[in-house]
Amino acid sequence: MKPPPIQFAPSPEGKIAYQVVGEGPIDLLFLPGARNLDAIWDNPALERFFRRLASFSRLIMCNRRGTGLSDPIPLGAPTLEEWASDVDYVLDATGSERAALLCSEEGGVGALVLAATHPARITSLALLNCFATLHRAADYPWGLPAEALDRFLGAFTSQFGTGANLHVVAPELVNDERFRDWFARLERLSMSPAMTDLVSRLFFAWDIRGILPSVRTPTLVISHAGHAWIRSDHGRYLGEHIRNARYVERPGFWGLYWIHDVDWVLDEVETFFTGTKVAPSLDNRVLATVLFTDIVGSTEHAAEIGDQRWRWLLDEHDAITRREIERYRGRVVKSTGDGYLATFDGPARAIQCGLGINEAIAGLGVEARTGLHTGEVEIRGEDLSGIAVHIAERVMAEAGPSEVLVSGAVPPLVVGSGIEFQDRGMRPLKGVPGEWHLFAVVG
């Protein structure tokens, strides 16, 4: 789906970039950190996260000054009051008198200042793995010593823009070259190296423990016991010192809000903000055959023939692929840039579709790799989620040019169809536990 347009809220110190999506009954302000508002929509998991928020709200997101697409800060470092004012200006520009506020990690500091200083504008507040300070003190033993903070800050800022910070926040994706490249690009588009260093030092220097008793906004505090770098004691402290707070602690790892423990967090947040308990999504889970395609060597092809001709070729490829998916009664979920994600209610038709795509695009001078897996998926509006989707994508990554590769779940379901397979053995799939039996379609 097309991302919402970028708009700019005026302020005396510069313009603040923001987006609005959804038409729900409540206004929800989400602070996505310093991440560039354009680039964040390039990732399907992030888009799914935002669309889910927009399904029950009018979602407002912004880049505070000095970050993302907003104007730089004229002189010196931003104060907490200035960043709280940025949010105030965005709410004015969107015509929002009062809004719920959702943020994670370092965003909680500014959110709590805003809730304390502008209580009439914030109806409720949800904090995901946030903190009042990161510094250790006699009455705050779970903070970090000054030397440890300096080491962490030095490593984080020196690696910013390279993707290496994934070792901390999403170690399971470190070897996913495509995700790592996108993540590094997102960082580079979000803040300059100097601003990264400045903002990070500010985050680590702030201590807002003294204002917590002044926060009277109903607040949900969620902490994960296995957070990559914020101990759950920080969240417990917030829950104990904010007057109208409810504290919830979750087990397991948490490093990226749009990947880790997403469905539970979103269900809890929606229930808290709307007052209506989210019904279990079992009705949205169906058995489907998931198909992923990808043009082989797309970067090299684009460099060889030039941007304009490559765009024309992609347009032809897209038309052919969509036609073949429709021909075999599949459902196009979305384009992945140089490939497609689709679902079928029968694996035989999905296989025939993959073979049809390979044959049809041969005339364009390109080849595609295709991966298939049959399993249970969750339908989220027009998007798709679930482990079966990840498996199909990883199976595709193992396929060769013009090859249709399937997981071991597929062959038993097409017995009697005449489709033949060649055993490709057991292989590990990135990010998916265990080894998987793969088969190439012969045809």
Side-chain angles (χ1 to χ4, degrees), residues 23 29 37 59 72 145 166 174 180 182 237 255-256 270 293 304 319 321 324 334 385 415 428-429:
E23 299 177 351
L29 177 65
L37 288 181
L59 176 63
L166 284 174
V174 167
R180 182 173 173 141
W182 168 80
Y237 184 91
L256 293 174
E270 181 177 351
T293 70
E304 181 181 349
T321 302
E324 292 298 311
K334 61 189 172 186
S385 66
V415 172
L429 301 179

Side-chain angles (χ1 to χ4, degrees), residues 199-277:
V199 168
S200 299
R201 291 185 185 280
L202 287 174
F203 287 148
F204 291 173
W206 284 328
D207 185 343
I208 62 163
R209 285 178 291 166
I211 76 163
L212 297 182
S214 300
V215 178
R216 292 175 168 82
T217 304
T219 303
L220 172 66
V221 181
I222 297 174
S223 290
H224 284 78
H227 190 281
W229 55 281
I230 300 172
R231 289 174 59 176
S232 56
D233 302 271
H234 291 282
R236 191 175 299 109
Y237 184 91
L238 292 174
E240 292 171 353
H241 289 79
I242 296 173
R243 184 169 313 197
N244 295 316
R246 179 168 70 89
Y247 176 70
V248 181
E249 187 168 317
R250 289 283 287 171
F253 180 80
W254 202 89
L256 293 174
Y257 64 79
W258 67 92
I259 289 179
H260 300 116
D261 201 25
V262 177
D263 291 326
W264 182 90
V265 167
L266 288 172
D267 287 349
E268 196 74 8
V269 165
E270 181 177 351
T271 299
F272 176 70
F273 283 146
T274 65
T276 303
K277 187 169 180 61

Side-chain angles (χ1 to χ4, degrees), residues 13 41 60 87 90 93 109 139 151 188 206 257 276-277 279 283 298-299 302 372 383 389 405 425 430:
E13 295 82 16
W41 290 88
I60 304 166
V87 173
V90 168
V109 176
D139 59 345
R151 287 196 302 271
R188 294 192 298 271
W206 284 328
Y257 64 79
T276 303
K277 187 169 180 61
D283 290 344
S298 57
T299 302
L372 295 166
D383 206 351
V389 180
L405 198 65
K430 288 183 181 180

